[in-house]
RNA sequence: UCCCCGGUAGCUCAAUCGGCAGAGCGGGUGGCUGUUAACCACUAGGUUGCAGGUUCAAGUCCUGCCCGGGGAGCCA
């Protein structure tokens, strides 16, 4: 398929006549010369229209055309230091597709509420385009990483009969004459797939009906979840670290321009190489207790505690061996210290918080059954899950990486809502 | 679910002690042959979130409601 000229590759067309289809990003004029800034989704380029070079109608179109009008321009690409980006198009012909009505989003600052209400238009702005491209690059690098390392993509169902972890709130869905739920994790299914294929991963949307109202939460978000047979906790953490390094390296290689548009400080990202720091829950508790004496062993880290810990690191870091009481029923109990689980979380630096949660899965039938009973979970729905421990049980584990949190950290974006095209929040489902 | 902050022009905000509702941007008109969120001049634009109350007088004070933002818990 031959590609038409696009603005990101405009340098290849220097001295040549091109046709660009797109939208008017901005315009300026100075008497007898117009500067039209045109965007086509791949970039923005300045077009010049001189009164002496074009017919009267073309020149007149410039004064009529409004911001975000759709149009087609034809002209010759020239190198010019005065143009933003170093190239411009000397326009000879303009064809209007549609004159846009007064565009709601101005070139000045806007409040978040207003922008969220106009998310469908906000997506056109420079920063939002850059974030979307980085997100796509992160997705691509994740898929490449697993595909290269012998993992099979086995996607888990979206509609599930019950909770994976029993605790978190689920979105109910009418399913013919019964009720099912939107998935909150593909993990249990991944474990079945791991027994069939060895190394697997799923990558799709997940849903949490938690009434969280913070910049770190969406009700609908994307998660990649690998699950590996015959691995141990060390191997699992190593896999998580390699994944993080691989994502960051790829974005630095392929999306440097977008990171610059976002004014991301690259020194933080360029340091992301193995070995990455790891500390045990025991050690983390000691750190926290220095500044928060009320913190008890077996507590989960709150926002303030997490800040205390993360100030110690300027790289992504791992905390491992959490108390059994803080983790889900399926986490494997440490055979040497029964109060600990073989679990770990990875945190992004710079205050971005948890991006990965995972661990080894309980592979002993009796222990798992006991945990299900202890948690008061309905035993019937886990029959098939227990089967995995009846028929060739095997040491295995996995983790989930939150896509939006990872993208927010890499982009240096404050709020998760900008890392997905159409975010779903507790009080926001439109557009 | 709880705590905090806010709602004034299309947008972002100002309005002193309760005393004539304003600016910038955006829109419109005109000017300028190299602009960079261009600039300059003129111009139009208001149920001050809603309902009630206090007062000679309410954007401002009081009560209730609605909407938005930020944070906590929980988590990726």
């Amino acid at each position: 398929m031959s590609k038409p000229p696009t603005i990101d590759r405009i340098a290849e067309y220097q001295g040549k006549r091109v046709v660009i289809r797109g939208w008017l990003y901005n315009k300026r004029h100075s008497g007898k010369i117009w500067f039209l800034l045109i965007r086509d989704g791949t970039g923005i380029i300045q077009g010049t229209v001189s009164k002496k070079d074009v017919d009267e109608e073309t020149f007149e179109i410039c004064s009529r055309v409004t911001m975000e009008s759709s149009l087609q321009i034809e002209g010759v690409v020239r190198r010019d230091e005065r143009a933003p980006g170093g190239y411009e198009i000397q326009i000879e012909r303009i064809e209007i597709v549609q004159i846009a009505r007064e565009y709601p989003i101005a070139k000045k600052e806007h409040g978040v509420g207003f922008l969220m209400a106009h998310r469908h238009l906000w997506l056109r702005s420079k920063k939002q385009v850059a974030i979307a491209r980085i997100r796509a690059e992160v997705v691509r690098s994740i898929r490449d990483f697993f595909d290269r390392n012998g993992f099979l993509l086995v996607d888990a169902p979206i509609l599930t009969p019950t909770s994976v972890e029993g605790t978190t709130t689920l979105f109910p869905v009418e399913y013919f004459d019964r009720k099912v739920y939107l998935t909150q994790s593909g993990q249990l299914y991944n474990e079945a797939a791991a027994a069939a294929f060895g190394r697997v991963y799923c990558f799709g949307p997940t849903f949490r009906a938690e009434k969280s109202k913070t910049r770190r939460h969406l009700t609908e978000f994307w998660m990649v979840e690998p699950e590996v047979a015959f691995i141990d906790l060390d191997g699992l953490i190593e896999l998580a670290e390699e994944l993080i390094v691989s994502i960051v390296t790829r974005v630095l290689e392929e999306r440097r321009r977008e990171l610059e548009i976002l004014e991301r400080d690259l020194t933080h990202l360029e340091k992301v190489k193995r070995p990455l720091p790891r500390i045990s829950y025991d050690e983390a508790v000691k750190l926290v207790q220095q500044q928060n004496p009320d913190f008890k062993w077996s507590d989960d880290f709150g926002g303030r505690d997490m800040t205390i810990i993360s100030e110690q690191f300027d790289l992504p870091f791992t905390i491992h061996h959490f108390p059994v009481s803080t983790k889900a029923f399926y986490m494997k109990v440490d055979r040497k210290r029964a109060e600990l689980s073989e679990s770990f979380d990875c945190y992004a630096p710079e205050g971005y918080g948890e991006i990965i949660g995972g661990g080894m899965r309980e592979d002993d039938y009796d222990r798992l059954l006991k945990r299900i009973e202890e948690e008061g979970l309905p035993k019937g729905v886990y029959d098939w899950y227990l089967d995995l421990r009846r028929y060739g049980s095997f040491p295995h584990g996995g983790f989930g990486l939150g896509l939006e949190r990872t993208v927010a950290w890499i982009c240096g974006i404050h709020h998760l809502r900008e890392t997905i095209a159409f975010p779903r929040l507790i009080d926001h489902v439109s557009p």
Side-chain angles (χ1 to χ4, degrees), chain A residues 116 119 122-123 127-128 130-136 138-139 215-218 220-222 262 352 402-423:
Chain A
M116 283 298 285
R119 181 63 179 165
W122 187 20
L123 284 177
K127 277 195 169 187
Q128 299 305 315
I131 295 167
R133 288 195 180 275
I134 289 170
R135 178 189 168 104
V138 170
V139 170
R215 64 196 173 89
R216 290 187 305 278
H217 290 86
L218 299 170
E220 177 181 329
F221 65 96
W222 283 63
L262 297 171
Y352 280 91
L403 177 63
E404 286 78 11
R405 287 185 180 177
T406 305
V407 172
W409 162 53
I410 290 175
C411 290
I413 292 296
H414 181 70
H415 201 299
L416 245 48
R417 66 186 155 216
E418 290 183 51
T419 62
I420 184 167
F422 296 100

Side-chain angles (χ1 to χ4, degrees), chain A residues 68-209:
Chain A
E68 287 301 322
S69 289
S70 42
L71 44 74
Q72 172 178 318
I73 59 157
E74 190 176 341
V76 176
V77 178
R78 299 211 182 285
R79 180 114 186 83
D80 193 314
E81 286 305 327
R82 293 167 298 185
Y87 291 88
E88 65 182 19
I89 296 175
Q90 194 175 332
I91 295 175
E92 293 162 9
R93 253 166 46 81
I94 303 173
E95 215 171 287
I96 298 292
V97 179
Q98 192 238 349
I99 296 277
R101 298 170 191 211
E102 191 182 330
Y103 195 62
I105 299 181
K107 282 169 292 183
K108 297 281 174 177
E109 2 55 270
H110 288 283
V112 173
F114 177 81
L115 289 171
M116 283 298 285
H118 295 83
R119 181 63 179 165
H120 53 298
L121 303 177
W122 187 20
L123 284 177
R124 303 179 184 189
S125 69
K126 252 192 238 178
K127 277 195 169 187
Q128 299 305 315
V129 168
I131 295 167
R133 288 195 180 275
I134 289 170
R135 178 189 168 104
E137 195 65 53
V138 170
V139 170
R140 201 161 25 238
S141 72
I142 288 169
R143 290 199 181 283
D144 285 353
F145 176 85
F146 287 116
D147 293 344
R148 261 201 333 266
N149 286 293
F151 283 75
L152 183 70
L153 174 71
V154 182
D155 282 313
I158 305 284
L159 297 171
T160 60
T162 186
S163 155
V164 169
E165 304 184 10
T167 53
T168 6
T169 347
L170 296 168
F171 287 109
V173 176
E174 263 181 52
Y175 191 76
F176 304 105
D177 53 354
R178 52 185 286 208
K179 204 195 276 177
V180 296
Y181 304 90
L182 297 178
T183 181
Q184 60 178 188
S185 165
Q187 186 211 307
L188 303 190
Y189 300 96
N190 266 352
E191 289 185 48
F197 304 107
R199 294 154 84 87
V200 299
Y201 73 104
C202 67
F203 196 174
T206 49
F207 307 86
R208 306 265 167 104

